[in-house]
Amino acid sequence: MFGVLEGTGVTVLDPRFHRVIPGSARVERLWTGARWSEGPAWFPAHNTLVWSDIPNDRMLRYDALTGQVGTFRQPARNSNGNTVDAQGRLVTCEHGGRQVTRTEHDGSITVLASHFGGKRLNSPNDVVVKSDGSIWFTDPDYGILSDYEGDKSPSEIGACHVYRIDGRTGEIAVVADDFVKPNGLAFSPDESILYIADTGASHDPENGPRHIRAVTIEADGETLGASKVFATCTAGLFDGFRLDIEGRIWTSAADGVHIYHPDGTLIGKLAIPEIVANVCWGGLRLNRLFICGTTSLYSVMTHTNGATRPT
């Protein structure tokens, strides 16, 4: 284990991790000053990263060319998860707005989902875009449990689901209703599997789930099939995560980032001196992992690359 920044380092747990992490890898702290960093999204067109600072009700922007950080949007309706669609538009989950939105190229904001069955969503949490243009998101109740990450309110739906927004019609459908608190999600590189974290242990430490499930995508590309537990978190809870081009999962945990081989083996860890909430791939070659710690933004260079399609 090694590192320069105090509290950081790389731990190799399986020889296969050597192929994806440089021997000289160092975790960098790029910025600090948030209350709860979440939802990083990379914009290759202008080499910037946008992420959320949920309790401070703002979105921040990191310029990879200058190293400067500024405010992207404030207020931001307590934004949480973000991603970028195939047209380069920002798609955002809002706790305060209790909705999923898209920021158009002219800066206007389009609401993509705010209700289901005539009832308000809880607090959309994380979001991914499939190659067919459909948008998949999780809707736990974290943003309405208190005024810290949104506005304290009762759940109108009364449950926490995973939803799909049709890319052509805009129709919203429940694709999974058997999660306690669905959280981070991401597709496998071939889109045959949707990985979904369940952080139910946040409010039921003894019996609640703290795992990532691998759920098969049916042949229609729109519905979910068989499900199995892919990995159980050994440090806190899995929150947000992303996959590299070879299907390895790079996921947040209480002690940093855990890296799993597609066969479910934990092959390595990146130690971060704060609880990690989410990660994403960026940089000119998508070989730089950006990491949202509690108060800070970190990054590390790797020997692998993130998926080139929207995630």
Side-chain angles (χ1 to χ4, degrees):
M1 191 169 179
F2 55 88
V4 174
L5 180 65
E6 183 178 358
T8 68
V10 177
T11 300
V12 176
L13 300 174
D14 184 295
R16 290 174 290 184
F17 192 47
H18 285 297
R19 299 200 299 267
V20 296
I21 196 74
S24 60
R26 297 290 186 272
V27 175
E28 305 170 85
R29 181 185 284 124
L30 305 175
W31 180 87
T32 190
R35 279 202 174 99
W36 181 245
S37 291
E38 249 283 15
W42 174 254
F43 289 83
H46 39 83
N47 294 303
T48 62
L49 183 90
V50 169
W51 80 99
S52 301
D53 180 5
I54 307 175
N56 283 326
D57 194 19
R58 61 179 176 173
M59 301 174 76
L60 300 163
R61 176 171 50 198
Y62 167 75
D63 187 323
L65 298 181
T66 67
Q68 298 298 306
V69 171
T71 300
F72 174 76
R73 178 181 295 157
Q74 189 174 28
R77 293 182 291 271
N78 301 106
S79 66
N80 188 338
N82 298 284
T83 193
V84 181
D85 70 11
Q87 287 73 48
R89 298 171 297 188
L90 174 68
V91 180
T92 300
C93 289
E94 299 176 0
H95 279 188
R98 299 175 70 168
Q99 59 191 11
V100 179
T101 64
R102 183 178 64 222
T103 301
E104 309 296 347
H105 293 303
D106 63 3
S108 61
I109 296 176
T110 300
V111 176
L112 303 175
S114 60
H115 292 72
F116 182 75
K119 299 178 180 179
R120 294 188 72 186
L121 297 172
N122 296 320
S123 51
N125 190 285
D126 206 357
V127 59
V128 288
V129 179
K130 198 165 177 279
S131 61
D132 62 3
S134 59
I135 297 169
W136 304 57
F137 68 95
T138 57
D139 186 40
D141 55 1
Y142 292 118
I144 58 174
L145 292 176
S146 73
D147 292 322
Y148 186 65
E149 295 186 23
D151 300 311
K152 185 176 182 179
S153 305
S155 172
E156 295 184 15
I157 292 176
C160 303
H161 300 321
V162 183
Y163 295 87
R164 176 185 181 272
I165 305 172
D166 190 278
R168 299 180 303 276
T169 66
E171 181 180 354
I172 304 168
V174 173
V175 291
D177 59 5
D178 58 343
F179 285 77
V180 179
K181 292 189 186 297
N183 205 313
L185 74 172
F187 290 103
S188 61
D190 64 0
E191 297 185 334
S192 66
I193 299 171
L194 179 63
Y195 295 95
I196 308 171
D198 195 334
T199 51
S202 63
H203 287 72
D204 184 1
E206 296 298 321
N207 302 306
R210 55 178 74 245
H211 55 234
I212 292 173
R213 283 163 55 183
V215 190
T216 302
I217 305 290
E218 298 285 25
D220 62 7
E222 300 179 2
T223 54
L224 299 181
S227 171
K228 66 178 182 180
V229 173
F230 173 78
T232 299
C233 193
T234 57
L237 302 171
F238 296 132
D239 195 336
F241 55 89
R242 288 293 181 258
L243 279 72
D244 64 27
I245 56 174
E246 295 180 343
R248 287 174 287 261
I249 289 183
W250 300 65
T251 178
S252 59
D255 58 354
V257 179
H258 293 189
I259 300 88
Y260 286 86
H261 189 272
D263 66 9
T265 303
L266 178 61
I267 61 173
K269 295 182 180 182
L270 303 176
I272 303 295
E274 305 182 79
I275 295 173
V276 172
N278 216 328
V279 303
C280 82
W281 296 98
L284 296 176
R285 297 181 176 88
L286 291 183
N287 61 344
R288 186 179 189 184
L289 187 74
F290 288 97
I291 303 163
C292 281
T294 303
T295 66
S296 309
L297 178 68
Y298 301 86
S299 76
V300 65
M301 300 297 296
T302 75
H303 276 324
T304 188
N305 312 82
T308 55
R309 60 171 180 78
T311 54

